[in-house]
Amino acid sequence: PNPVHDVLFIEAPVFVAHVTLTSATGQQILEVFPVQSRQVTLDFRTLPKGIYLLGVILEHSKERRVIQKIIRN
């Protein structure tokens, strides 16, 4: 769900290759690779409230890169 309170769960129809989380100011907060799974869990409990950009790169998919705005409440 968006906004996120504690934990963000990502489920994809294909394997996730790479995940990044960037602050609204452009600072990279988190980078996870290689994931090699269809499910990813990100812990937001230590992050301050604010707006983040989540980048997900999928393997073997037409829409290979997905970027989503995430709000931490």
Side-chain angles (χ1 to χ4, degrees), residues 24-65:
T25 61
Q27 178 185 7
Q28 185 170 314
I29 305 296
L30 175 71
E31 183 174 34
V32 180
F33 68 94
V35 177
Q36 302 300 317
S37 175
R38 292 183 178 155
Q39 298 177 341
V40 181
T41 303
L42 301 178
D43 188 349
F44 274 69
R45 288 177 280 201
T46 60
L47 298 177
K49 294 179 181 181
I51 297 174
Y52 297 88
L53 291 177
L54 176 70
V56 179
I57 297 178
L58 303 173
E59 291 186 1
H60 313 295
S61 175
K62 278 186 175 183
E63 292 187 26
R64 185 168 147 79
R65 182 179 198 109

Side-chain angles (χ1 to χ4, degrees), residues 8-9 11 15 20 25 33 40 46 48 63 66-68:
L8 175 69
F9 299 99
E11 285 192 42
F15 279 162
T20 58
T25 61
F33 68 94
V40 181
T46 60
E63 292 187 26
V66 178
I67 297 177
Q68 177 72 42

